Amino acid sequence: MLDFNLDIGTSTIGLIPDFIGFWFLNKGMSELSAESDIFGKKSGLALILMACSMGIYLIDLLGLSLGLFGIVIGIAMTIAKLYLEYQVLMGMFELEEYNNTHMGADDCKTRWIFAMVMILLNFILIWIPLINIVCLIIAFIMGIVFLVSVNTFKNNYLEVKNSQYN
């Protein structure tokens, strides 16, 4: 959700490559698959996205251009990432149901929806620079807010698990 790039000539260096995030996401989903069918079924998608984003990272690093095909790949990757993020949210709701407690999945979903609306507006309004930049900034801020709420969910989940073992 956080993209920081360094552009050098025609090359782009992703400072926080997406494929690292997809690897961590797959690892976490695999660990939680015992408590959520969604995490078990969708961790493979995270691996596919990891491989694709690694390829895109190398293409960007080499400064290669894919032209129109690159735009199509970018749109497809965005759709797949949104789908995976949605599935993670549904898995969070399953974790709440499995543990019979509220851990904050609804807060995460609300923040994710707002961030996704801003990202989609950014794509749609790409031809209106000022509005596009505002949407991009808001999407970035909401992405951070969403990640903070996911961290809060994680902390609540760990607290529930610790209380079950004590």
Coordinates of all heavy atoms in Angstrom, one line a residue, residues 121-160:
L121 N -10.6 7.1 -7.8 CA -10.7 8.4 -8.3 C -9.4 8.9 -8.9 O -9.4 9.7 -9.9 CB -11.2 9.4 -7.2 CG -12.6 9.3 -6.8 CD1 -12.9 10.2 -5.6 CD2 -13.5 9.7 -8.0
N122 N -8.3 8.5 -8.3 CA -7.0 8.9 -8.9 C -6.9 8.4 -10.3 O -6.4 9.1 -11.2 CB -5.9 8.4 -8.0 CG -4.5 8.8 -8.4 OD1 -4.4 10.0 -8.9 ND2 -3.6 7.9 -8.4
F123 N -7.3 7.1 -10.6 CA -7.2 6.5 -11.9 C -8.2 7.2 -12.8 O -7.9 7.6 -14.0 CB -7.6 5.0 -11.9 CG -6.4 4.2 -11.6 CD1 -6.4 3.4 -10.4 CD2 -5.4 4.0 -12.5 CE1 -5.3 2.6 -10.1 CE2 -4.3 3.2 -12.2 CZ -4.3 2.5 -11.0
I124 N -9.4 7.5 -12.4 CA -10.5 8.1 -13.2 C -10.1 9.5 -13.6 O -10.4 9.9 -14.7 CB -11.8 7.9 -12.5 CG1 -12.2 6.5 -12.4 CG2 -12.9 8.7 -13.3 CD1 -13.4 6.2 -11.5
L125 N -9.6 10.3 -12.6 CA -9.4 11.7 -12.8 C -7.9 12.0 -13.1 O -7.5 13.1 -12.9 CB -9.8 12.4 -11.5 CG -11.3 12.2 -11.1 CD1 -11.5 12.9 -9.7 CD2 -12.2 12.8 -12.1
I126 N -7.3 11.1 -13.8 CA -5.9 11.3 -14.1 C -5.7 12.5 -15.1 O -4.6 13.1 -15.1 CB -5.3 10.0 -14.7 CG1 -3.7 10.1 -14.7 CG2 -5.8 9.7 -16.1 CD1 -3.1 8.7 -14.7
W127 N -6.7 12.8 -15.8 CA -6.6 13.9 -16.8 C -6.8 15.3 -16.1 O -6.7 16.3 -16.8 CB -7.6 13.7 -17.9 CG -7.5 12.4 -18.5 CD1 -8.4 11.4 -18.4 CD2 -6.4 11.8 -19.2 NE1 -7.9 10.2 -19.0 CE2 -6.7 10.5 -19.5 CE3 -5.1 12.3 -19.6 CZ2 -5.8 9.7 -20.2 CZ3 -4.3 11.5 -20.3 CH2 -4.6 10.2 -20.6
I128 N -7.2 15.3 -14.8 CA -7.4 16.6 -14.1 C -6.3 16.7 -13.0 O -6.5 16.2 -11.9 CB -8.8 16.7 -13.5 CG1 -9.9 16.4 -14.6 CG2 -9.0 18.1 -12.9 CD1 -11.3 16.3 -14.1
P129 N -5.1 17.2 -13.3 CA -4.0 17.1 -12.5 C -4.2 17.6 -11.0 O -3.8 16.9 -10.1 CB -2.9 18.1 -13.1 CG -3.4 18.1 -14.6 CD -4.9 18.0 -14.6
L130 N -4.8 18.7 -10.8 CA -5.0 19.2 -9.4 C -5.8 18.2 -8.6 O -5.4 17.8 -7.4 CB -5.6 20.6 -9.4 CG -5.8 21.2 -8.0 CD1 -4.4 21.3 -7.3 CD2 -6.4 22.5 -8.0
I131 N -7.0 17.8 -9.1 CA -7.8 16.9 -8.4 C -7.1 15.5 -8.2 O -7.2 14.9 -7.2 CB -9.2 16.7 -9.1 CG1 -9.9 18.1 -9.0 CG2 -10.0 15.6 -8.4 CD1 -11.2 18.1 -9.8
N132 N -6.4 15.1 -9.3 CA -5.7 13.9 -9.2 C -4.7 13.9 -8.1 O -4.5 12.9 -7.3 CB -5.0 13.6 -10.6 CG -4.2 12.4 -10.6 OD1 -3.1 12.3 -10.2 ND2 -4.9 11.3 -11.2
I133 N -3.9 14.9 -7.9 CA -2.9 15.0 -6.9 C -3.6 15.0 -5.5 O -3.1 14.3 -4.6 CB -2.0 16.3 -7.1 CG1 -1.1 16.1 -8.3 CG2 -1.2 16.6 -5.9 CD1 -0.4 17.3 -8.7
V134 N -4.7 15.7 -5.4 CA -5.4 15.7 -4.1 C -5.9 14.3 -3.7 O -5.7 13.8 -2.6 CB -6.6 16.7 -4.1 CG1 -7.5 16.5 -2.9 CG2 -6.1 18.1 -4.2
C135 N -6.4 13.6 -4.7 CA -6.9 12.2 -4.5 C -5.7 11.3 -4.1 O -5.8 10.5 -3.2 CB -7.6 11.7 -5.7 SG -9.2 12.4 -6.0
L136 N -4.6 11.5 -4.8 CA -3.4 10.7 -4.5 C -2.9 11.0 -3.1 O -2.5 10.0 -2.4 CB -2.3 11.1 -5.5 CG -1.0 10.2 -5.5 CD1 -1.4 8.8 -5.8 CD2 0.0 10.8 -6.5
I137 N -2.8 12.2 -2.7 CA -2.4 12.5 -1.3 C -3.4 11.9 -0.3 O -2.9 11.3 0.7 CB -2.2 14.0 -1.1 CG1 -1.1 14.6 -2.0 CG2 -2.1 14.4 0.3 CD1 -1.0 16.1 -2.1
I138 N -4.6 12.1 -0.5 CA -5.6 11.5 0.4 C -5.5 10.0 0.5 O -5.6 9.4 1.5 CB -7.1 12.0 0.1 CG1 -7.2 13.5 0.3 CG2 -8.1 11.3 0.9 CD1 -8.5 14.1 -0.2
A139 N -5.4 9.4 -0.7 CA -5.2 7.9 -0.8 C -4.0 7.5 0.0 O -4.0 6.5 0.7 CB -5.2 7.5 -2.2
F140 N -2.9 8.2 -0.1 CA -1.7 7.9 0.6 C -1.9 8.0 2.1 O -1.5 7.0 2.9 CB -0.5 8.8 0.2 CG 0.8 8.6 0.9 CD1 1.5 7.5 0.6 CD2 1.2 9.4 1.9 CE1 2.7 7.2 1.3 CE2 2.3 9.2 2.6 CZ 3.1 8.1 2.3
I141 N -2.5 9.0 2.6 CA -2.8 9.2 4.0 C -3.7 8.2 4.5 O -3.5 7.6 5.6 CB -3.3 10.7 4.3 CG1 -2.3 11.7 4.0 CG2 -3.9 10.8 5.7 CD1 -2.8 13.1 3.9
M142 N -4.8 7.9 3.7 CA -5.7 6.8 4.1 C -5.1 5.4 4.1 O -5.4 4.6 4.9 CB -7.0 6.9 3.3 CG -7.9 8.0 3.6 SD -8.3 8.3 5.3 CE -9.1 6.7 5.7
G143 N -4.1 5.2 3.2 CA -3.4 4.0 3.2 C -2.6 3.8 4.5 O -2.6 2.7 5.1
I144 N -2.0 4.9 5.0 CA -1.3 4.8 6.3 C -2.3 4.6 7.4 O -2.1 3.7 8.3 CB -0.5 6.1 6.5 CG1 0.7 6.1 5.5 CG2 0.0 6.2 8.0 CD1 1.4 7.5 5.5
V145 N -3.4 5.3 7.4 CA -4.5 5.1 8.4 C -5.0 3.7 8.4 O -5.2 3.1 9.5 CB -5.6 6.1 8.2 CG1 -6.8 5.8 9.1 CG2 -5.1 7.6 8.5
F146 N -5.2 3.1 7.2 CA -5.6 1.7 7.1 C -4.6 0.8 7.7 O -4.9 -0.1 8.5 CB -5.9 1.4 5.6 CG -6.1 -0.1 5.4 CD1 -7.2 -0.7 5.8 CD2 -5.1 -0.8 4.7 CE1 -7.4 -2.1 5.6 CE2 -5.3 -2.2 4.5 CZ -6.5 -2.8 4.9
L147 N -3.3 1.0 7.4 CA -2.3 0.1 7.9 C -2.2 0.2 9.4 O -2.0 -0.8 10.1 CB -0.9 0.4 7.3 CG -0.8 0.1 5.8 CD1 0.5 0.5 5.2 CD2 -1.0 -1.4 5.6
V148 N -2.4 1.4 10.0 CA -2.4 1.6 11.4 C -3.6 0.8 12.0 O -3.5 0.1 13.0 CB -2.5 3.0 11.8 CG1 -2.8 3.2 13.3 CG2 -1.2 3.7 11.5
S149 N -4.8 0.8 11.4 CA -5.9 0.1 11.9 C -5.7 -1.4 11.7 O -6.1 -2.2 12.6 CB -7.2 0.5 11.2 OG -7.2 0.2 9.8
V150 N -5.0 -1.9 10.7 CA -4.7 -3.3 10.6 C -3.7 -3.7 11.7 O -3.8 -4.8 12.3 CB -4.0 -3.6 9.2 CG1 -3.4 -5.0 9.1 CG2 -5.1 -3.5 8.1
N151 N -2.8 -2.8 12.0 CA -1.9 -3.1 13.1 C -2.6 -3.2 14.5 O -2.3 -4.1 15.3 CB -0.8 -2.1 13.2 CG 0.3 -2.4 14.2 OD1 0.9 -3.5 14.2 ND2 0.4 -1.5 15.2
T152 N -3.6 -2.3 14.6 CA -4.5 -2.4 15.8 C -5.2 -3.7 15.9 O -5.3 -4.4 16.9 CB -5.4 -1.2 15.9 OG1 -4.7 0.0 15.8 CG2 -6.3 -1.2 17.1
F153 N -5.7 -4.1 14.7 CA -6.4 -5.4 14.6 C -5.5 -6.6 15.0 O -5.8 -7.4 15.8 CB -7.0 -5.7 13.2 CG -7.7 -7.0 13.1 CD1 -9.0 -7.1 13.3 CD2 -7.0 -8.1 12.7 CE1 -9.7 -8.3 13.2 CE2 -7.6 -9.4 12.6 CZ -9.0 -9.4 12.8
K154 N -4.3 -6.5 14.5 CA -3.3 -7.5 14.8 C -3.0 -7.6 16.3 O -2.9 -8.7 16.9 CB -2.0 -7.3 14.1 CG -0.8 -8.3 14.4 CD 0.5 -7.7 14.1 CE 0.8 -6.6 15.0 NZ 2.0 -6.5 15.7
N155 N -2.8 -6.4 16.9 CA -2.6 -6.3 18.4 C -3.7 -6.9 19.2 O -3.5 -7.6 20.1 CB -2.2 -4.9 18.8 CG -0.9 -4.4 18.3 OD1 0.0 -5.2 17.9 ND2 -0.7 -3.1 18.2
N156 N -4.9 -6.6 18.7 CA -6.1 -7.1 19.4 C -6.2 -8.6 19.2 O -6.6 -9.4 20.2 CB -7.4 -6.5 18.8 CG -7.5 -5.0 19.2 OD1 -6.9 -4.5 20.2 ND2 -8.3 -4.3 18.5
Y157 N -5.9 -9.1 18.1 CA -5.9 -10.6 17.8 C -4.9 -11.3 18.7 O -5.2 -12.3 19.3 CB -5.5 -10.8 16.3 CG -5.3 -12.3 16.0 CD1 -6.4 -13.2 15.8 CD2 -4.0 -12.8 15.9 CE1 -6.2 -14.5 15.6 CE2 -3.8 -14.1 15.7 CZ -4.9 -15.0 15.5 OH -4.7 -16.3 15.2
L158 N -3.7 -10.7 18.8 CA -2.6 -11.3 19.7 C -3.1 -11.3 21.1 O -2.8 -12.2 21.9 CB -1.3 -10.6 19.5 CG -0.6 -10.8 18.1 CD1 0.6 -9.9 18.0 CD2 -0.3 -12.2 17.9
E159 N -3.7 -10.2 21.5 CA -4.2 -10.1 22.9 C -5.3 -11.2 23.2 O -5.3 -11.9 24.2 CB -4.8 -8.7 23.1 CG -5.2 -8.4 24.6 CD -5.7 -7.0 24.7 OE1 -5.0 -6.1 24.4 OE2 -6.9 -6.9 25.2
V160 N -6.2 -11.4 22.2 CA -7.2 -12.5 22.4 C -6.5 -13.8 22.4 O -6.8 -14.7 23.3 CB -8.2 -12.4 21.2 CG1 -9.0 -13.7 21.1 CG2 -9.1 -11.2 21.3

